[in-house]
Amino acid sequence: MRKKVKEIFMETVRNRCPGCRRVSCDGCGIYQKKTALGSGELNLNKLNTNKEIREEFPEGFEMEPGEGIGISFDVGTTTLAGMLWDLKGGILLGAETAANPQAVFGADVISRIRAAGEEEALKKMQSLLVKKLDGMAESLAGRCAQTSVGQSPSQSAGERKAAEVLGKAKETYSEAAIQRAVFVGNTAMCEILLGIKPEGLSGAPFVPDYEKTVAIKGRRLGFRFLGNTDIIVLPPIGGYVGSDALAVYGCVSRQEPGGRILAVDIGTNGEILLQCGEENGNRIGYACSAAAGPALEGGAVSQGMRAAEGAIDRVSISGSFPMQDIVCHVLGETPPAGICGSGLVDALAALLKTGVLDDTGYMRSPDEARLAGVPGRICRRIRAGAAGWRFLLTEEAHPVYLTAEDVRQLQLAVSALRSGMEILLKKAGLRAKELDKIYLAGAFGCYIRKESALSAGLLPKVSEEKVVQAGNLAGVGSAMALLSKPALERMERECGRLEHVELAEEEEFKEKFLKHLNFNC
């Protein structure tokens, strides 16, 4: 059970998690405090996305000490995430997330691209985004300055060092305080940030409208607080595979040099990267994007929702046959209001395992389920709905159902992602069993259970030990590019050596997509 952490605002930074601003937080937000062994300095660069899963910078990464303060941003279609860093010591000073204000132009990236095709709309979208990012940077710097006041005798040497850094930040708190800002994100969001009309993304062959790293002063993009800051926007790999995917690859290639690695960032637009293990001419790997749709994030599902309080995030089977039943865990320990992505994949796996669903995704009636050997308690959860059978996941008092149509939407999403992975493997001449590891990146990749992802057919058939829940690799990669020029240059080189695969142009994609609609493949 997750512990509720009482939110209290404190006067000093040492009592706060810089991600969620909570007291005595053991990393339940984005970061966890960590003291570097032997240095006596407080190092706040250990990232995590929930209580159980944490991700550090890859082994071998060395920051390049600079002067002043920097900020790294991951610009998503739904969420913006920023991290404030001391460039000299590599100390994380704070972190903040916010909703992307462009939601008024559409919830998904395709709607944003269509809207940005109009000059006036593009200007408005860029202005909204720049204003929000500028405000986040100013808020982080201001909070950094305010919380640095005061030192306690009980502080460790590392905490005193952090307070000293924050004190200097307060002294230099001005438009020039943030020296450098690095941005990664999907291709459309980066183009809108730069004020570029995303014409290449609006139709086949779906190509980016910028190719190389963009370095520009903030004021030229409309930033006020970051007006004098050196803005750096990393390049996309190709099409819908943006600079956030490049940041993910930058982490994986550093952590697993020479390995045969599949990295998947699961979202509405799932980005898939394959490091081949052996160089083939100038090629080091492949990349593609799969339009998985919103189903795996809780959208396009009758009672789907984001991973927030009231969301079912885990579904499991309890008891022994024939007395088995379905049990759900709800975020926030409140009555269930819906189900989020990780819960949906769990539910799929559980219903397949018990026999409520057959391999084609067909939801059996109560009588059919009994004949198939489904335990009685679980059979009683199958109910008639307005549009076919549906499965009651919770108790009657607060009903949350998974319908036959929900299963269909999940099948489409799972098949799109799985087919993309299979296409890349074939391009590289690899079989799934030859992979060294599969990295699941992003928030969804942290919460999804590996066993469920494999059982539902979301991932190729490999041993569970090969699947790594890697966390916010895009955020780690953007921080690496900020803190180390060699790391940035390495990513730029890798970008040019990754072959972008447009799935729509692959003859076998349709065949594989139809094949993987079945869960037993």
Side-chain angles (χ1 to χ4, degrees):
M1 304 293 255
R2 298 185 179 208
K3 296 179 180 179
K4 289 185 177 180
V5 184
K6 185 179 179 181
E7 293 187 336
I8 305 173
F9 286 90
M10 304 295 287
E11 293 298 324
T12 59
V13 72
R14 70 187 180 89
N15 290 326
R16 293 185 182 184
C17 165
C20 67
R21 312 305 296 167
R22 291 177 178 172
V23 179
S24 301
C25 164
D26 188 28
C28 66
I30 303 175
Y31 304 94
Q32 180 191 29
K33 287 198 298 186
K34 175 189 174 185
T35 301
L37 295 176
S39 67
E41 296 185 0
L42 186 65
N43 178 8
L44 296 175
N45 66 359
K46 187 171 185 178
L47 285 77
N48 80 298
T49 50
N50 65 17
K51 287 184 179 179
E52 292 79 30
I53 301 164
R54 299 179 174 87
E55 180 65 38
E56 294 179 306
F57 287 125
E59 290 183 18
F61 170 72
E62 293 183 6
M63 67 160 291
E64 189 179 46
E67 294 296 329
I69 297 170
I71 192 166
S72 57
F73 276 107
D74 181 5
V75 183
T77 307
T78 303
T79 305
L80 311 174
M83 297 168 278
L84 191 70
W85 296 87
D86 165 44
L87 297 178
K88 186 174 183 179
I91 297 174
L92 177 65
L93 304 177
E96 186 168 322
T97 60
N100 190 323
Q102 297 174 352
V104 294
F105 289 90
D108 60 275
V109 71
I110 301 300
S111 298
R112 308 277 180 89
I113 291 171
R114 288 172 180 164
E118 298 292 333
E119 194 66 39
E120 288 304 312
L122 173 61
K123 289 179 180 178
K124 180 64 175 176
M125 295 170 79
Q126 183 196 30
S127 176
L128 285 171
L129 182 57
V130 166
K131 184 177 180 181
K132 174 58 74 172
L133 293 168
D134 213 33
M136 291 173 67
E138 186 169 11
S139 172
L140 277 168
R143 194 166 67 221
C144 156
Q146 291 165 9
T147 57
S148 65
V149 179
Q151 295 188 26
S152 165
S154 63
Q155 285 180 306
S156 68
E159 290 169 329
R160 286 194 296 274
K161 175 62 177 177
E164 179 185 335
V165 170
L166 296 174
K168 290 179 181 178
K170 182 181 179 182
E171 294 170 8
T172 60
Y173 179 62
S174 66
E175 291 187 6
I178 297 181
Q179 305 295 320
R180 187 164 67 248
V182 170
F183 293 81
V184 302
N186 66 61
T187 311
M189 291 304 102
C190 288
E191 290 185 1
I192 293 171
L193 172 65
L194 294 168
I196 300 172
K197 189 181 292 187
E199 294 176 326
L201 300 176
S202 60
F206 304 105
V207 295
D209 297 276
Y210 81 107
E211 295 181 353
K212 297 182 179 180
T213 299
V214 176
I216 192 171
K217 282 292 183 181
R219 60 178 171 272
R220 293 186 58 189
L221 297 178
F223 284 99
R224 181 191 57 79
F225 181 74
L226 296 177
N228 292 328
T229 301
D230 292 324
I231 302 293
I232 298 169
V233 183
L234 268 62
I237 294 172
Y240 286 97
V241 186
S243 56
D244 51 353
L246 178 61
V248 169
Y249 190 85
C251 291
V252 172
S253 63
R254 174 70 73 173
Q255 183 68 35
E256 304 284 350
R260 294 172 172 178
I261 309 297
L262 190 67
V264 190
D265 196 336
I266 301 171
T268 303
N269 179 53
E271 295 167 321
I272 306 167
L273 301 150
L274 177 63
Q275 179 177 273
C276 300
E278 295 181 3
E279 294 189 17
N280 181 7
N282 196 43
R283 187 185 302 118
I284 56 174
Y286 297 85
C288 72
S289 64
L296 291 174
E297 293 185 321
V301 171
S302 57
Q303 289 183 265
M305 64 181 290
R306 295 279 180 186
E309 186 173 294
I312 296 171
D313 68 328
R314 292 200 300 272
V315 178
S316 55
I317 303 168
S318 68
S320 302
F321 188 86
M323 303 302 288
Q324 290 171 306
D325 202 357
I326 295 293
V327 177
C328 298
H329 176 267
V330 181
L331 290 172
E333 313 302 330
T334 63
I339 184 168
C340 66
S342 59
L344 287 166
V345 177
D346 272 356
L348 266 185
L351 298 192
L352 284 165
K353 185 174 183 178
T354 57
V356 173
L357 299 177
D358 68 13
D359 288 341
T360 69
Y362 170 72
M363 186 176 289
R364 294 184 167 106
S365 69
D367 289 340
E368 290 172 330
R370 289 189 187 94
L371 289 173
V374 178
R377 291 181 178 180
I378 294 178
C379 287
R380 288 192 288 272
R381 291 182 174 273
I382 305 172
R383 312 289 175 85
W389 298 108
R390 56 183 183 166
F391 189 87
L392 179 65
L393 292 165
T394 59
E395 300 306 315
E396 297 277 7
H398 302 281
V400 175
Y401 289 95
L402 189 71
T403 70
E405 179 56 28
D406 293 339
V407 173
R408 180 62 175 169
Q409 292 299 320
L410 291 167
Q411 278 180 285
L412 295 172
V414 166
S415 183
L417 288 164
R418 178 69 181 277
S419 300
M421 298 177 208
E422 297 289 346
I423 291 288
L424 294 195
L425 286 169
K426 184 169 183 180
K427 288 274 186 185
L430 294 174
R431 291 176 293 177
K433 67 179 183 180
E434 295 176 304
L435 289 170
D436 296 313
K437 288 181 183 177
I438 297 178
Y439 277 75
L440 296 178
F444 185 85
C446 279
Y447 286 98
I448 188 174
R449 288 202 290 189
K450 296 186 285 185
E451 179 184 2
S452 296
L454 291 164
S455 298
L458 179 60
L459 300 177
K461 293 180 179 179
V462 298
S463 63
E464 192 175 324
E465 293 73 25
K466 287 187 176 183
V467 181
V468 179
Q469 293 170 292
N472 182 21
L473 293 187
V476 177
S478 65
M480 289 168 61
L482 173 73
L483 296 170
S484 169
K485 186 177 180 181
L488 170 60
E489 292 173 343
R490 187 171 188 263
M491 290 182 201
E492 290 172 327
R493 291 194 300 271
E494 289 173 335
C495 185
R497 300 178 66 194
L498 286 165
E499 181 176 325
H500 174 247
V501 178
E502 179 54 61
L503 294 180
E505 297 177 358
E506 294 295 318
E507 293 182 3
E508 288 188 56
F509 180 72
K510 184 177 180 180
E511 178 186 335
K512 289 184 179 296
F513 181 79
L514 292 173
K515 173 185 175 183
H516 288 296
L517 286 174
N518 289 329
F519 290 113
N520 62 349
C521 295

